[in-house]
Structures are given as C-alpha cells and as structure tokens.
Amino acid sequence: MTPFLSLFWVLAGIAILVVLNLKYKFHNVFSLLIAGMFVAIMVGIPADKIVGVVQQGIGSIMGHLALIIIFGAIIGKFMTESGASQQIADTVIRHCGTRFLSTGLMFIGVIFGIAMFYEVAFLIAMPLVMNIAKKADIPYMKLVIPTVVGATMGHSLFPPQPGPVALISAFNADIVQVYLYGVVVIIPALFCAGVLLPRFLPGISRIPLNSMIKPIKELAPEDLPSFRISILIPLIPAVLMILASVVKPLAGDGSELTRVFILLGSAEVSMLFATLAAMWFLGVKRGMTAEGITHNVTNSISQISNVLFVISAGGILKQVIIDSDVGDSIVQLMSHVPFSPFIIAWLITAVIRILTGQGAVAAITSAGIVAPMIGAFHLNPALMVLAVACGSNTITLMYDGGFLLFKETFGISMKDTFKTWGLLELINSVVGLGMVILVSQFI
C-alpha cells in the first residue's frame, strides 16, 4: 500500500471518529473502537487478527496507565479534602504579593497539573482562584488564565501524567532529559501565555462572570496541613523518577542499587508511594477514619472511570497504526516534506487533538505514527516527547472537554472562550514547539 493511501485511511478513520462524536453523539469508547477497526480493515490487517490488535491496543494503555490515573485521582481527592491545595495556594500567594500574583498562580497550576488529572486540577484550583481574585480586587480572568496555563502545560509535558508517560514509553526516552528540557520549553510558554496574554488581551477585564462554581469554604490556617507536606506529596513521583535516572549511570546498569531505584522510580510505584503518603499524612494523621479513607478512595476511582476507559480506547488506533506499518509509510511520505520532523510530529498531533478533542488520546495515537521518525531522522527521543506533548496541548474546538469545562465553569460566551482558552492553548503549544526546535539545534 502506498504511503499516500495509508495516510488517507488514517485520516478517514479520524474523520469517522469526529462524525460519530459530533453528529451522532456516540460515546468516545465506541467511536474509537469503530474508527480503529475501520482503519485496520482498510490498511489490510487480516480479519482474524483485528480482535487481537484491538485487545493489544486497549491492554497496552490500560496496563500502563490505569494505576497512574487512579493514583492521581486519589491524591487530588486527599489534597482537596485536607486543605493541602489551599495551603499551597495561600503560601505561594503570601510570598508573591499582588505584583507577582499571576506568577505564583502559574506555579500552583504547574504543581497541580503535574500531580493530578487535568480536570481534577482545574476544579480544585478554580475556587481558590476566584476567592483570591475577589480578595485582591482583580478581574478574575487575569488570574484564571495564568493558573490554567500552568496546569495545562504541567499536565501535558511532565510525568507522571498519562500522556507524557505513554510517550516516554513509546519513544524510549530518558525521563531526566524530559524533565530538564521540559523546564526549558515550559518557561517561555508560561511567560507568553500566562503573563503577556492577560496583560494585552483586549476586553479581558470586562468578560462577564456567570460562574457555576461556588467559592470554597476555606479552612482556618491552624487546620491546614503544613506547606512542606502539602508540596512534597505531589512531587514525590518526580523526585523518585529523577533519582532513579541519576543513580543508574553512577551505580552501573547491573548493580542492585540501580535495580532498586528503577523499581522505585517507575511511574506506578512512585505514584503508589505518593498515594500512600497522601492517605497517611492528609488522612490518618489528620484524624480520618479507615471508613473515611475508603470512601474517598472509592469516590476518586468512580469519578475518573470514564476518563480511564476513553484513554485506553485511544490505544486501539495507535496499535492499528503500529501493526500495519502505517507509521513507517507516513515517515517515508514526510521525508520529502521540507519541514523539521518536530514540526511534522507537532502538526500530526495537533490535528488529531483538534479532531478528537482528547489531549491524551491525541498523544497516544500520534505516538504510533511519529515513533519511526526518531530513528529515521536520528532525533533526540526526549525532544520528540515534548514536541508531541505540545501538539496535544493546542487550540481546541467547542466539542473538546477542556473547552467546555472552561466555558461552562465561568458561564462565558463561545467568543470569550475562544479568546481566552483558545488563545492560551495555542500560544502554549506554538511557543513550546518553537523552544523544542531551538533546543534541538544545540543537542
């Protein structure tokens, strides 16, 4: 099959996915299943092999991300219930003052975005931001934008979030490099989208608020966990992952110490430690009963079950692309395009994100397409992770979950949503890609 025809059937499958979602209101799981099977048939996968491909696609994602997503939801729940998120916000804002308030909120957004699933981070942060805007007498959107910028970038670029973890696994990237280069990529993006956009966006102070969220009932300072515990718990996975990568070259590949730290630094085990720490320090140590802890854990898992299945179903199309060698065909096709491979990878991911409305699904699906580019063009895998991650965090349309969450939370118009959410996502994505290309010139 020619590369053009392979690409055509992949795009046709994505088009079917969009039509089923938008016109016929199919659930994403069924849309992804139907689209994946359609592409599998059209690219020539034997009929008796298709079910196995579907099972492998779902299983590869479910097996790798299920525990990470579940643990992230549990950590977010305990941080909310205990007041740990409020402690982080209050402490950062107290040290930033009014002048650097937006910078402090971006910092909070990044931490929440790394530690929790995006919707959880958003719903935890927004009541805090609304209270802060009211106290400081600042137009609410000037503080909302920096916080959302931080959360979306933290969630999209850094492990242990599902998208980056899946990309690191698919590209066999070094996790320390992802963190190090990610910091270089994220800082200019945060500045452009979180500082400059709110400052120069026309009419931002006059966007009306018809908020569906209620101001949170703040706990008294003496009832909050310490800032040290509040900030340490969500950062435990990042610390363990980095330590594992640092110990490996120092102790040697075959040493017992390296094997122990590889175990501790795995996404699942590091998230388990963070979850247990949250349950102990934010639950047991604060007087929560065993029944209360079980109740919070159960609620956390039930709230993200739909997200878990949708992301897992996204692995179907990815697996079809891998098993049919469509990715190799697309690499051959793109090798004649006079653009950087990072731009091509970003474009592929951005198009899938815009069409499907799912950031993690876009990252996972495009991973199967762009992975062969790394070897073909001798690219740094960590930079490819970041390029695809930036593509998964781009401007979205009105059927995207993040778009609707932003719009309905504040009760604003479609126009104002495109002007705020749409622009901040686009700036995030484009500036991030630009930094990836810049860094690639020196590596």
Side-chain angles (χ1 to χ4, degrees), residues 82 225 229 233 276-286:
S82 67
I229 289 295
I233 287 172
L276 294 176
M279 293 167 66
W280 177 257
F281 289 106
L282 304 181
V284 175
K285 295 287 283 185
R286 295 177 59 77

Side-chain angles (χ1 to χ4, degrees), residues 19-230:
V19 170
L20 291 176
N21 278 345
L22 291 185
K23 185 173 182 179
Y24 297 106
K25 309 301 180 186
F26 271 47
H27 191 282
N28 272 322
V29 170
F30 294 106
S31 301
L32 287 162
L33 177 60
I34 292 170
M37 292 180 69
F38 169 81
V39 175
I41 292 169
M42 300 313 296
V43 299
I45 293 179
D48 61 334
K49 305 290 185 183
I50 291 177
V51 172
V53 172
V54 170
Q55 292 172 342
Q56 187 177 354
I58 294 176
S60 65
I61 302 302
M62 181 75 80
H64 200 60
L65 298 182
L67 288 176
I68 296 170
I69 294 173
I70 290 170
F71 289 152
I74 295 170
I75 293 169
K77 182 72 171 178
F78 278 91
M79 289 188 67
T80 308
E81 294 293 325
S82 67
S85 58
Q86 179 188 331
Q87 175 66 276
I88 293 173
D90 289 349
T91 303
V92 171
I93 290 159
R94 187 165 59 247
H95 286 84
C96 289
T98 305
R99 182 179 178 186
F100 298 105
L101 194 53
S102 61
T103 303
L105 287 171
M106 273 194 299
F107 173 72
I108 293 169
V110 172
I111 293 173
F112 285 9
I114 293 174
M116 310 169 201
F117 204 70
Y118 176 73
E119 285 80 2
V120 177
F122 182 91
L123 293 173
I124 290 174
M126 285 308 105
L128 294 170
V129 173
M130 302 300 283
N131 281 5
I132 293 164
K134 185 176 180 181
K135 288 179 184 178
D137 193 26
I138 296 174
Y140 77 100
M141 197 56 76
K142 287 193 173 183
L143 299 184
V144 166
I145 289 177
T147 311
V148 173
V149 166
T152 56
M153 288 299 278
H155 179 82
S156 300
L157 265 61
F158 296 110
Q161 288 305 319
V165 168
L167 292 173
I168 289 169
S169 175
F171 300 157
N172 196 27
D174 185 284
I175 199 165
V176 171
Q177 290 186 11
V178 172
Y179 274 113
L180 291 177
Y181 301 153
V183 171
V184 177
V185 168
I186 198 175
I187 290 175
L190 292 177
F191 177 76
C192 292
V195 177
L196 296 183
L197 178 61
R199 187 175 298 174
F200 296 108
L201 188 63
I204 188 173
S205 301
R206 298 188 299 276
I207 294 178
L209 174 65
N210 301 295
S211 180
M212 298 294 291
I213 60 175
K214 306 295 181 184
I216 60 169
K217 182 179 179 181
E218 295 190 1
L219 300 176
E222 60 270 17
D223 294 330
L224 298 175
S226 69
F227 176 74
R228 183 178 300 175
I229 289 295
S230 300

